[in-house]
Amino acid sequence: MDKLAKERRSWNMSRIQGKNTGPEIAMRSMLHKGGFRFRLQGKNLPGKPDIVLPKFKTAIFVHGCFWHRHENCKYCYTPKSRHEFWDNKFRRTVQRDAEQIRSLAGSGWLPLVVWECEIKNNPAKTFTKVQSLLQQRLLKMNGDT
Ligand SMILES: [Zn+2]
């Protein structure tokens, strides 16, 4: 196994636990420091978003690049064995993600997807992006009332 393959594998293994991954915790802690109030895992919302900001009516998904198929990302590869199995699995995940996002948007929520590699590679930049989307969101919401 080459170095990149090893790196990918340990990265993906860390994702199998699902919730409370490093990048997700990093995102939460940056939001917290930024003074944003949020809830974890919106159980009553489509897709159970990882971070919910009621004031902004915004739901954030911290997506793993491998499972959720981050396009053109080095972590988004297809295992060589059982190719068909993975293909089907990934297709279903991507389809379900799209449905959940449509459903959230349809009920007036702003769905935001943050990729784990973005947080991993440049947490500050990712937070700045999310922060500015939230500010725009608030302006828009206030403008609507
Ligand atoms: Zn990625």
Side-chain angles (χ1 to χ4, degrees):
M1 213 186 308
D2 61 31
K3 189 174 169 292
L4 182 59
K6 259 186 205 148
E7 193 191 324
R8 279 165 167 170
R9 177 190 254 184
S10 69
W11 175 253
N12 294 329
M13 289 301 132
S14 76
R15 283 302 296 156
I16 290 173
Q17 301 297 326
K19 299 292 168 187
N20 295 326
T21 57
E24 199 182 313
I25 292 167
M27 191 70 229
R28 278 195 235 144
S29 111
M30 288 186 289
L31 283 167
H32 184 76
K33 281 196 195 113
F36 292 96
R37 305 282 295 270
F38 56 87
R39 288 191 323 227
L40 303 182
Q41 296 176 35
K43 288 197 172 59
N44 303 320
L45 292 175
K48 300 191 182 69
D50 298 305
I51 302 168
V52 178
L53 296 110
K55 182 181 164 190
F56 299 84
K57 224 173 172 207
T58 296
I60 301 179
F61 293 93
V62 178
H63 269 353
C65 303
F66 176 70
W67 295 109
H68 297 273
R69 309 318 277 165
H70 189 197
E71 270 180 62
N72 301 320
C73 170
K74 68 174 175 173
Y75 298 113
C76 171
Y77 71 103
T78 303
K80 283 199 183 73
S81 63
R82 303 173 76 205
H83 199 278
E84 204 176 330
F85 164 83
W86 287 109
D87 240 25
N88 285 328
K89 196 175 176 58
F90 291 143
R91 218 189 340 265
R92 280 198 305 273
T93 304
V94 168
Q95 206 169 34
R96 201 176 53 226
D97 288 346
E99 280 161 16
Q100 288 163 352
I101 281 182
R102 259 200 308 275
S103 161
L104 275 168
S107 41
W109 285 79
L110 174 70
L112 290 184
V113 171
V114 178
W115 294 99
E116 287 197 341
C117 70
E118 296 180 272
I119 300 175
K120 196 183 177 207
N121 294 339
N122 197 335
K125 188 177 157 203
T126 310
F127 176 66
T128 305
K129 188 182 83 178
V130 169
Q131 192 177 30
S132 87
L133 287 169
L134 288 171
Q135 278 156 358
Q136 284 167 33
R137 171 69 170 167
L138 205 57
L139 285 176
K140 190 165 180 297
M141 283 170 71
N142 291 336
D144 285 349
T145 55

